[in-house]
Amino acid sequence: MHDLERARMLLTEGSYASVLCRADVCYTSRGKGISPMLDWIGAGVELKGFCAADIIVGKAAAMLFVHAGVGAVYGRVMSTAGKDYLTTHGVVCSYDILTERIVNRTGDGVCPMEQTVSQLEDPQAAYAALRRKRDEMRRKQ
């Protein structure tokens, strides 16, 4: 079974939010939003060449996948900005639903992580900006 197929299967069957697979190694998380990717990257987990499956892939997640060197991405829901970013950076992507934008958790506006990266193109700068934004949001809780 191909790594992307396995990641997609684990996403569904394991009720995970994010799955990355390469050869015999799989990382899974039930964490919300982009937190799993921020945590894996922050911990120095080597993800180059992995295939990813995620519930929601917007531009923020796409930029983290590119930053980490992920080779293929499946999203149950993917934004056009996420798809375009992945495609531009040579990352194979697929999805079930393509949407214009990723909304926030209350459903009344754009996702704050998407707003954070809307004007960014550099994946390393996006990683730093997204970590800052997540830390800021956690402090407000």
Side-chain angles (χ1 to χ4, degrees), residues 23-86:
D24 294 333
V25 178
C26 287
Y27 298 104
T28 60
S29 177
R30 289 187 174 92
K32 293 182 180 181
I34 60 168
S35 284
M37 278 303 293
L38 287 172
D39 293 342
W40 287 322
I41 294 168
V45 176
E46 177 55 55
L47 298 173
K48 187 173 176 72
F50 274 72
C51 293
D54 207 296
I55 293 174
I56 299 173
V57 178
K59 185 178 178 185
M63 294 183 87
L64 293 176
F65 290 135
V66 168
H67 177 68
V70 170
V73 175
Y74 158 77
R76 265 193 211 144
V77 175
M78 186 175 289
S79 71
T80 53
K83 177 183 175 284
D84 292 347
Y85 193 84
L86 291 168

Side-chain angles (χ1 to χ4, degrees), residues 8 11-12 55 74-78 94-99:
R8 187 174 175 171
L11 183 77
T12 302
I55 293 174
Y74 158 77
R76 265 193 211 144
V77 175
M78 186 175 289
S94 59
Y95 50 85
D96 291 335
I97 298 168
L98 185 64
T99 186

